[in-house]
C-alpha cells in the first residue's frame, strides 16, 4: 500500500504524495485544492477562490467543505484517512 499524506486543510490522509509534490490535487474530504505556491497559511490561494488555508480550515469545521457551496462535492473520511 502506498503511503498517504495529510491534507493541509482537513488533516485527513488523502494526498497520494507529499504536500510539496501534490500539485493541483483536490482532497475528496474537504475539496481543498493543494496549492504548492502559497508560502503560509494566511496567503490567499489562487487555486482556492482566494481563500487562505486558515479560512478554508474554519469553513471545513463549519460546513464540512472549504466553501459551503462545495458540500455536495465532498465525502466523509474513511477510517484509514483519519488514523
Amino acid at each position: 500500500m502506498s503511503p498517504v499524506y495529510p491534507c493541509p486543510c482537513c488533516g485527513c490522509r488523502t494526498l497520494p504524495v507529499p504536500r510539496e509534490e501534490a500539485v493541483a490535487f483536490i482532497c475528496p474530504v474537504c475539496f481543498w485544492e493543494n496549492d504548492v505556491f502559497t508560502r503560509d497559511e494566511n496567503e490567499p490561494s489562487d487555486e482556492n477562490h482566494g481563500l487562505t488555508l486558515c479560512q478554508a480550515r474554519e469553513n471545513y469545521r463549519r460546513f464540512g467543505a472549504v466553501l459551503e457551496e462545495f458540500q455536495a462535492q465532498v465525502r466523509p473520511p474513511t477510517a484509514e484517512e483519519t488514523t
Side-chain angles (χ1 to χ4, degrees), residues 1-81:
M1 190 179 222
S2 299
V4 182
Y5 301 88
C7 170
C9 180
C10 67
C12 295
R13 294 184 305 140
T14 58
L15 298 181
V17 294
R19 180 179 174 184
E20 307 77 42
E21 299 171 21
V23 177
F25 179 84
I26 298 175
C27 176
V29 173
C30 68
F31 218 64
W32 176 258
E33 183 173 344
N34 192 53
D35 188 346
V36 299
F37 302 106
T38 56
R39 291 192 181 99
D40 86 27
E41 298 178 354
N42 292 307
E43 183 178 345
S45 168
D46 292 336
E47 282 77 12
N48 292 283
H49 306 278
L51 286 174
T52 68
L53 185 52
C54 288
Q55 291 169 322
R57 286 178 181 150
E58 177 60 29
N59 287 346
Y60 177 69
R61 282 190 282 278
R62 292 179 66 207
F63 310 122
V66 296
L67 288 172
E68 189 172 14
E69 57 262 32
F70 293 153
Q71 289 175 321
Q73 308 296 339
V74 299
R75 62 164 174 76
T78 65
E80 296 81 24
E81 291 168 341

